[in-house]
Amino acid sequence: MSNRILKHLRQDYSKINDFIEIDYTQSTELDALDIEIEKLENNQYVETSDMTFIKRREKMLGIQANSSTETLEFRKKRILNRYRTKPPFTIRYLQEQLDFLIGQGKATSEVDIQNFILSLFVDVENAQLYKEVESLIKMITPANMVYQPKTLITNNISLSENILRRDFTANYLLGSWRLGEKPFATLGQEVVVK
């Protein structure tokens, strides 16, 4: 974007080549400066930060990120979760954090006050997200309570049973094995029994 300097000078200067070149050079530098200022302003907030500042914040919080499997959006969400984890903690606060991390209705928590047990029912398929939920629970669970994770499985699981048989033939008697001549035993082919 040229003409950032010349428009502030008298009309006569816009016809001089030296001033036109100075305007072009200075305008280019000012445009680059505007971009850097905007980037710096964006990096003041986690939601608009770029990867460089996300890495810096993760280092400050002691988070070991895996850039090959974790998206930038997940990493931002994890940092926000860590910043929001400040005492005092209530069951309502826990539910709000779970809704923020994994979505409305995907997790519920229960407290057994008599036995000091915190149970968490979670429907999450993403391992990194579940790991972050575990981290959240470790941070906010009181020392006198026991945490019991429970999963909610929305899909059906089917089990099947197979029985295989394989013959085993010993090549040596006890104490007569010569190292390297033959294997100690020979295994037969697998046969499906059921």
Side-chain angles (χ1 to χ4, degrees):
M1 179 161 131
S2 63
N3 209 12
R4 288 182 71 163
I5 305 297
L6 283 177
K7 68 181 179 181
H8 298 290
L9 301 176
R10 284 192 346 220
Q11 195 76 11
D12 303 344
Y13 290 109
S14 63
K15 296 177 183 149
I16 302 172
N17 284 336
D18 288 345
F19 282 100
I20 294 171
E21 287 301 317
I22 289 172
D23 177 61
Y24 175 76
T25 304
Q26 291 297 318
S27 295
T28 305
E29 291 294 321
L30 289 172
D31 290 343
L33 182 63
D34 285 345
I35 291 169
E36 290 301 315
I37 289 171
E38 183 180 352
K39 189 188 297 185
L40 185 62
E41 288 173 353
N42 288 339
N43 286 327
Q44 296 298 312
Y45 306 100
V46 175
E47 291 93 352
T48 56
S49 290
D50 60 11
M51 186 57 79
T52 306
F53 278 79
I54 291 298
K55 286 180 182 178
R56 181 179 296 166
R57 290 175 193 271
E58 287 173 335
K59 187 176 181 182
M60 288 170 25
L61 292 169
I63 297 172
Q64 294 290 330
N66 185 350
S67 59
S68 63
T69 59
E70 297 173 350
T71 64
L72 179 62
E73 291 307 310
F74 170 74
R75 291 168 76 172
K76 289 178 181 182
K77 194 177 271 194
R78 178 173 46 201
I79 289 170
L80 287 172
N81 178 53
R82 300 285 172 95
Y83 283 155
R84 292 178 180 166
T85 310
K86 304 275 187 243
F89 303 117
T90 62
I91 198 74
R92 183 180 297 147
Y93 169 80
L94 173 61
Q95 190 62 51
E96 288 172 1
Q97 286 300 100
L98 291 171
D99 290 344
F100 167 74
L101 275 176
I102 58 179
Q104 291 278 350
K106 295 207 173 227
T108 57
S109 54
E110 292 178 359
V111 177
D112 181 358
I113 298 171
Q114 299 297 326
N115 297 316
F116 299 100
I117 296 174
L118 170 66
S119 298
L120 187 64
F121 301 91
V122 183
D123 182 14
V124 176
E125 295 177 8
N126 185 334
Q128 287 92 12
L129 199 52
Y130 187 76
K131 200 177 195 183
E132 186 59 24
V133 169
E134 290 279 324
S135 175
L136 170 69
I137 297 298
K138 285 178 185 174
M139 280 190 276
I140 69 171
T141 302
N144 66 338
M145 293 194 87
V146 175
Y147 164 59
Q148 288 184 339
K150 299 185 179 184
T151 57
L152 294 173
I153 299 174
T154 56
N155 299 331
N156 294 332
I157 295 178
S158 61
L159 298 175
S160 63
E161 177 183 34
N162 292 328
I163 300 174
L164 303 173
R165 183 179 66 84
R166 180 182 267 187
D167 291 330
F168 175 89
T169 307
N171 293 327
Y172 296 99
L173 296 174
L174 189 61
S176 66
W177 184 39
R178 295 190 198 328
L179 182 62
E181 284 184 5
K182 290 195 243 177
F184 180 74
T186 305
L187 298 174
Q189 289 285 65
E190 285 186 350
V191 178
V192 177
V193 176
K194 178 181 173 187

